[in-house]
Amino acid sequence: GLGQLLPAAAPRGKIDEGESAISPGVLAWADKALRGTDSVRIHAVGMVYGTQNAIVEDLYDDRLTISTAMLSERYSDLPQTAIDAAVASELAVVALRNLAANLVRAAGAREDSLVNGSRDRAAERAYAALDAPFRDWLAALEPGVDLDEARIEWHRIAARIVRRIGADLVAAAGPDAWVGREINGRRVTSPEADGWFQSAVSVALPTPSRASLDASSTKEVTA
């Protein structure tokens, strides 16, 4: 939802029917009143409705400190850099989710509940680890910052975090996953799953030293 908070940039990709991309008016006021010279702390509260808007599926209450320049159309490259970083991080978490799923399958799990539970736990761990570093990085984005360098810096930070969690998952998968098992006519092992994961993270969070790696998307084997 970061893109909807920033008036100067909309989230990339398709916006679902009925979903509003209009940022809160108070943020446009902050841009005019503070003239892009200070930081502002945004406190967002909201809820996600379920079936026919009859139930509440989720609640959120979050605070975020950003430069007020992030709210101004004069510096539209700032919020777009932030949104791009968030999207790249999401793709890296997808790679981690797929690694977790492939590891439990390689270890012999067949039940969807085990596979999905492993995916979700890996994602929760990644989001928790990425949260504070991303907030610190975002707070430092302001006019005058080299945005290419800032983007590369975040990619390195996020890749290091996600890869560390991936290494923990591989180490915890045990000998059964190392040996692996046949899934749809193909043997899946923890080393092979880790290779897919490493390639996918390099694609999601490219840095100059890894920009030449294969740009194929992350793989997930379906049992």
Side-chain angles (χ1 to χ4, degrees), residues 121-187:
R121 287 190 298 273
E124 289 168 3
R125 184 175 173 186
Y127 289 133
L130 290 166
D131 185 69
F134 184 78
R135 291 172 188 272
D136 292 341
W137 175 83
L138 185 62
L141 280 185
E142 57 185 19
V145 169
D146 186 320
L147 296 182
D148 287 334
E149 287 297 325
R151 184 181 296 107
I152 291 170
E153 177 189 10
W154 173 250
H155 284 188
R156 286 175 175 155
I157 292 170
R160 185 164 57 247
I161 291 170
V162 173
R163 289 183 195 280
R164 184 174 65 243
I165 297 172
D168 290 345
L169 294 178
V170 172
D176 288 343
W178 182 271
V179 174
R181 71 181 179 94
E182 294 288 332
I183 301 176
N184 291 340
R186 179 176 187 175
R187 177 162 291 277

Side-chain angles (χ1 to χ4, degrees), residues 4-7 23-32 40 42 66 71:
Q4 292 186 355
L5 284 177
L6 305 177
S23 61
V26 68
L27 298 184
W29 172 87
D31 170 39
K32 292 184 172 66
V40 62
I42 300 171
I66 59 173
L71 307 177

Side-chain angles (χ1 to χ4, degrees), residues 41-91:
R41 192 180 194 200
I42 300 171
H43 183 186
V45 181
M47 61 183 62
V48 178
Y49 292 102
T51 306
Q52 296 181 340
N53 293 335
I55 60 174
V56 174
E57 288 189 344
D58 198 9
L59 299 170
Y60 67 85
D61 184 336
D62 203 359
R63 294 167 176 81
L64 194 65
T65 299
I66 59 173
S67 165
T68 52
M70 295 278 286
L71 307 177
S72 173
E73 293 184 358
R74 298 189 301 275
Y75 305 105
S76 60
D77 52 347
L78 286 175
Q80 192 58 63
T81 298
I83 292 168
D84 289 346
V87 170
S89 303
E90 289 281 356
L91 292 175

